[in-house]
Amino acid sequence: SQELEQSPQSLIVQEGKNLTINCTSSKTLYGLYWYKQKYGEGLIFLMMLQKGGEEKSHEKITAKLDEKKQQSSLHITASQPSHAGIYLCGAGHSGGYQKVTFGTGTKLQVIP
Amino acid sequence: DTAVSQTPKYLVTQMGNDKSIKCEQNLGHDTMYWYKQDSKKFLKIMFSYNNKELIINETVPNRFSPKSPDKAHLNLHINSLELGDSAVYFCASEGANEKLFFGSGTQLSVL
C-alpha cells in the first residue's frame, strides 16, 4: 500500500505565480525529505524536515511539516521556468536500517 | 566530481537478454540503494546494501541480482529481461540523517 500521497499529481502554472504541493503520510514521519527531479536527470535534495511544525526555506521554496508530523507542504513563490520538474517527497521511518520511501510525485510545468 | 555515478545512462535491449547497470559512489557512505521509477514516476525501493551486505530486498523477482564488491559499488544485474522491466533505475547512497544522494538514472528499454 502507498504510504505517501502527493497532490496534485501535476500542475501547470504561469510564471510568477505561487504554488503549493502537498505530501500526506498514513504514518507518523520521522523525517520528511523533498527532492526535485529535472527531466531525464537524477534527484536533487531540497530540504529535510524532522520536527513537528518545522519550516525551512531555500531561495523561493518553503517546506513545512505539520505538528502531527503526517503532512508536509512545499510552497514555491513567484515560480520560474527553472522550477519545472518533478517534486518528490520522501519519508524515513523508525527502526533498524531505515529505508526512505517516496511519494507519488508532482509534475510541475511553469509557462513563461 | 560526480558523487554517485551510474552507467550506462541509456540501455536498449531485447527481451530475454541479460544486462548490468553499474553504480559507484565516492562519498564514503556505507549504505546504497537501488530504486525503480515506473512510468508514473513513482520511485520504489528495490534493494539496500550496508557495507556490502544485503539489508532490504523488496519482493523483487530473483531475475534481479544486486552485487556489491565493496561498499563504494552496488551493481544491478538483470537476467532474462522482460518488457515490464522497462523503467528508469536509480542508484542512491545514504549519508547522515538518511539524506540520499542519487545517481542520474539509467533508462532501460526492453524491446
Side-chain angles (χ1 to χ4, degrees), chain A residues 1-55:
Chain A
S1 62
Q2 186 55 262
E3 294 179 356
L4 284 177
E5 293 286 342
Q6 278 183 245
S7 62
Q9 287 190 6
S10 64
L11 197 51
I12 302 174
V13 299
Q14 203 77 36
E15 183 176 357
K17 296 293 186 184
N18 302 337
L19 64 106
T20 300
I21 299 169
N22 294 303
C23 176
T24 303
S25 173
S26 56
K27 301 178 182 179
T28 299
L29 300 164
Y30 286 85
L32 190 286
Y33 311 83
W34 282 101
Y35 290 87
K36 178 187 175 184
Q37 181 184 4
K38 296 195 76 172
Y39 300 116
E41 298 182 16
L43 287 148
I44 301 166
F45 173 80
L46 295 175
M47 274 174 274
M48 178 183 72
L49 304 166
Q50 286 185 300
K51 300 177 184 176
E54 188 174 6
E55 179 176 323

Side-chain angles (χ1 to χ4, degrees), chain A residues 2 31 33 35 37 40-43 45 48 50 86 88 91-93 97-105, chain B residues 9-10 31 33 35 37 40-43 45 50 55-56 58 90 94 97-105:
Chain A
Q2 186 55 262
Y33 311 83
Y35 290 87
Q37 181 184 4
E41 298 182 16
L43 287 148
F45 173 80
M48 178 183 72
Q50 286 185 300
I86 297 171
L88 286 152
H93 303 286
Y97 284 108
Q98 304 181 40
K99 63 179 182 181
V100 178
T101 55
F102 289 90
T104 46
Chain B
K9 196 172 175 68
Y10 300 98
T31 304
Y33 298 81
Y35 283 88
Q37 185 179 45
K40 296 182 180 179
K41 306 301 181 186
F42 173 54
L43 268 176
I45 191 170
N50 180 273
I55 299 301
I56 296 172
E58 288 289 312
F90 283 97
E94 183 177 322
N97 294 320
E98 298 179 324
K99 180 178 175 180
L100 293 176
F101 297 80
F102 286 87
S104 56

